[in-house]
Amino acid sequence: MENPGKISHLVIVGGGTAGWMSAAFFSKVFTPRQMRITLVESAEIGTVGVGEATIPPITFFNQVVGLDEGRMLTATEGSFKLGIEFVGWGDPAGRYMHPFGNYGTPMDGVSFHAYWLRARQRGYKAELFEFSLSDLAAKAGRFDWRAEDPRDPRAAMAHAYHFDASLYAKLLREVAEGRGVQRLERTIRGVNLDPLDGTIASLALDDGEILAGDFFIDCSGFRSLLIGEALKVGYDDWSQFLPADRAVAVPSARYEDPIPYTRAIADKAGWRWRIPLQHRTGNGYVYVSDHIGDDEAADVLLASLAREHPENKALADPRFLRFATGRRTRSRVKNCAAIGLSSGFLEPLESTSIHLIQHGLIKLAGSFPRAKDDPAAAGIYNRILGDEMEQIRDFLIYHYHANRRVGEPLWDRLRHMAVPDSLREKMELFRTRGATIFPNQTIFQEPNWLAIMMGQAGEPEGYDPLADLMDERLLAERLHHMRVACRQAADRMPTHASVLARFPADSQKRRADAPVA
């Protein structure tokens, strides 16, 4: 007998990046005969649209939804990303790279950096970044793809993208509608709950239509129309750890070839981002409103553009964004799952916003409901999503807490604040033995923690004692070979600009097609 509660109509509330990623993903998971998919979005409600940097899992998502890399780069004015450079976060005058991919190669089952730390305590001069091909390539303005041959140094690489998020959503809309997703341009005036079980029964639209559905995905952004307003799910505020509550963003003109990395620059009241696309640069300032006003934050951001280069001119007026860092206490309740900003917000310091969208979608597919209310599946989904957000939260907190910007009120407070026990444990393991493999690691793993902990705290006191088992001369030979191989591989790579030339952005066509104001 067929399940009478079977999900056959999926309704997505909201467009933008989260909505159209959801539509493109589930239109690939299901055929039109298996699932009717409707997306409702309103032209009256704008999208945030400031997130333009990603992390490596985006390459997997694009493959899953059938999006060719060349097509994506061309349509979104995109560029490649090999990591994030942090300026002024540890030593105010210093900088370090969080590269994607691995450092060196593990030996005899022991992490590479344990051997490097052992050698450093015996006077070895080579820096850790010399064993990261992504780091070397990024700083040299070069790019190449990951190699499948484990003997090739490029096998340790990974990459992501910078792109125009609004253009990415537009491209995904084309993909989703091509697979049968129906788009309704409507404003939602109400949400109707089933009086018997409290599930969402239908949406009341502005033209009088009642849109019924079996399962609903809330992509309504900070408003959280379904999971927050209708289903009354609470919000866990993390501002005691991550106090930034404002951002101002402005695009600027391209004046140089795009660099293959994002830049995050610490400032007195927060930090500024720089994201290079093919046709322009994305700039922003994430700040704490108790330490700087909106007008002054905009002035600081615009002044930083002028300092960088005379041709780095703003292309639009600054846009402001208000937020509260944290997450919904549950991301999935009854027949609704919140994806994107409706589920929570973590500032874009490590470019995790789009990752959290795709992570939520993949886990939702893996626990897709058998009926409108599937509490067992919702429970495991909420635990997985909660763990992911808490891991990212700790990773972001560390950037602020491990600062050495002495004498600046905000940074002094963050350096001395109490941090979650989960982070305190990680800090102690790194300090005493250089460990960066921690319990329940999700998106950020050993090389990611190693990059930021070395970049901000410097070398730890100890290292894994198993690294002492290797013969001294053999270790020296292996370190030398890895270092030389990394440098030679970086030198052989094509420039980032020459690789992008294979995927020319279509901004000229877009400008020609644009209506005249």
Side-chain angles (χ1 to χ4, degrees):
M1 179 177 178
E2 186 175 348
N3 178 6
K6 180 182 177 182
I7 307 301
S8 59
H9 186 196
L10 181 65
V11 178
I12 301 167
V13 173
T17 308
W20 287 110
M21 284 180 71
S22 300
F25 179 78
F26 278 109
S27 66
K28 183 67 173 180
V29 172
F30 299 108
T31 67
R33 293 184 63 184
Q34 294 169 327
M35 184 71 67
R36 175 186 169 200
I37 302 175
T38 304
L39 184 146
V40 185
E41 65 177 341
S42 171
E44 297 176 9
I45 302 172
T47 57
V48 174
V50 298
E52 296 175 322
T54 60
I55 54 178
I58 189 65
T59 60
F60 173 72
F61 179 84
N62 287 344
Q63 290 171 6
V64 168
V65 301
L67 197 56
D68 174 75
E69 183 174 73
R71 178 187 178 193
M72 187 276 297
L73 287 168
T74 296
T76 65
E77 317 281 7
S79 63
F80 291 99
K81 176 181 175 183
L82 291 173
I84 307 170
E85 183 185 46
F86 290 92
V87 181
W89 287 81
D91 179 348
R95 60 183 64 209
Y96 71 92
M97 185 75 72
H98 170 196
F100 298 149
N102 296 321
Y103 292 91
T105 303
M107 294 177 280
D108 299 336
V110 179
S111 298
F112 162 79
H113 74 275
Y115 293 103
W116 177 82
L117 287 169
R118 168 191 160 183
R120 291 283 283 188
Q121 291 195 3
R122 291 160 174 76
Y124 188 58
K125 299 300 183 184
E127 300 288 345
L128 183 63
F129 75 83
E130 297 181 66
F131 296 90
S132 166
L133 185 50
S134 291
D135 192 316
L136 293 174
K139 290 173 182 173
R142 296 178 178 274
F143 176 80
D144 209 342
W145 287 267
R146 180 182 179 274
E148 296 300 324
D149 186 346
R151 297 167 298 180
D152 189 321
R154 293 173 300 170
M157 297 183 70
H159 74 273
Y161 311 105
H162 307 115
F163 52 57
D164 185 315
S166 62
L167 296 179
Y168 184 63
K170 179 181 178 182
L171 178 59
L172 291 173
R173 175 183 167 183
E174 294 175 8
V175 170
E177 289 185 320
R179 291 201 284 252
V181 172
Q182 180 186 14
R183 173 184 179 268
L184 298 180
E185 188 173 321
R186 303 283 195 279
T187 299
I188 297 171
R189 299 304 186 197
V191 180
N192 302 313
L193 302 183
D194 188 313
L196 297 178
D197 60 15
T199 61
I200 297 174
S202 60
L203 307 176
L205 306 183
D206 57 354
D207 62 352
E209 180 183 352
I210 300 298
L211 178 65
D214 300 318
F215 196 87
F216 294 78
I217 299 180
D218 187 347
C219 298
S220 62
F222 288 129
R223 184 182 177 189
S224 196
L225 177 65
L226 303 185
I227 201 102
E229 291 187 13
L231 296 176
K232 309 300 182 185
V233 175
Y235 195 79
D236 190 359
D237 191 315
W238 289 339
S239 58
Q240 73 270 33
F241 303 123
L242 297 165
D245 57 352
R246 301 280 195 279
V248 56
V250 66
S252 64
R254 170 178 168 170
Y255 64 87
E256 64 178 357
D257 289 335
I259 57 176
Y261 57 92
T262 306
R263 184 171 287 150
I265 305 125
D267 213 310
K268 70 171 187 177
W271 61 277
R272 292 179 283 110
W273 76 72
R274 182 176 183 273
I275 301 173
L277 281 69
Q278 292 194 51
H279 65 315
R280 63 173 171 82
T281 300
N283 310 276
Y285 188 2
V286 174
Y287 56 96
V288 182
S289 60
D290 289 344
H291 289 263
I292 193 172
D294 291 346
D295 290 343
E296 184 183 355
D299 290 343
V300 168
L301 178 59
L302 293 173
S304 71
L305 304 185
R307 283 198 308 272
E308 191 167 288
H309 196 277
E311 296 181 18
N312 192 22
K313 297 177 181 178
L315 298 176
D317 292 331
R319 285 185 59 200
F320 292 91
L321 175 69
R322 297 187 177 194
F323 53 84
T325 298
R327 67 177 178 92
R328 293 285 158 189
T329 54
R330 290 177 292 169
S331 294
R332 178 171 164 182
V333 176
K334 295 188 179 294
N335 63 333
C336 177
I339 297 292
L341 297 177
S342 59
S343 178
F345 180 82
L346 290 167
E347 63 185 74
L349 182 59
E350 284 282 354
S351 308
T352 51
S353 296
I354 288 177
H355 163 72
L356 284 170
I357 295 171
Q358 73 175 71
H359 184 71
L361 292 172
I362 291 168
K363 299 306 178 184
L364 179 58
S367 60
F368 201 77
R370 300 183 67 251
K372 289 182 71 172
D373 194 359
D374 190 342
I380 190 66
Y381 179 88
N382 285 322
R383 188 160 73 247
I384 291 170
L385 266 290
D387 287 347
E388 185 81 349
M389 288 201 73
E390 288 181 10
Q391 287 284 326
I392 296 172
R393 177 201 65 188
D394 284 2
F395 198 66
L396 300 186
I397 292 171
Y398 184 83
H399 293 71
Y400 285 105
H401 183 63
N403 82 82
R404 298 196 297 275
R405 299 179 67 90
V406 179
E408 298 181 81
L410 171 64
W411 295 93
D412 287 342
R413 174 164 68 89
L414 293 169
R415 191 171 54 256
H416 293 106
M417 72 175 172
V419 299
D421 291 342
S422 52
L423 177 57
R424 179 69 60 189
E425 179 185 43
K426 295 178 178 71
M427 293 167 60
E428 184 65 11
L429 284 168
F430 178 74
R431 183 186 65 83
T432 57
R433 57 184 295 129
T436 55
I437 296 178
F438 305 127
N440 304 318
Q441 281 180 316
T442 53
I443 183 59
F444 294 121
Q445 300 186 7
E446 181 180 40
N448 310 109
W449 281 100
L450 178 62
I452 67 163
M453 287 179 154
M454 282 292 302
Q456 299 205 201
E459 295 174 27
E461 297 171 5
Y463 56 85
D464 186 341
L466 292 180
D468 284 328
L469 300 179
M470 183 174 290
D471 175 76
E472 189 85 24
R473 186 163 64 178
L474 177 60
L475 174 58
E477 290 175 355
R478 290 188 174 183
L479 289 176
H480 175 74
H481 173 75
M482 286 187 211
R483 178 170 171 263
V484 170
C486 263
R487 170 53 63 188
Q488 291 177 342
D491 290 343
R492 288 193 299 266
M493 285 186 188
T495 65
H496 183 225
S498 68
V499 174
L500 287 181
R502 307 175 196 176
F503 312 106
D506 59 0
S507 56
Q508 295 296 330
K509 179 180 183 299
R510 188 173 295 112
R511 281 194 289 269
D513 293 343
V516 178

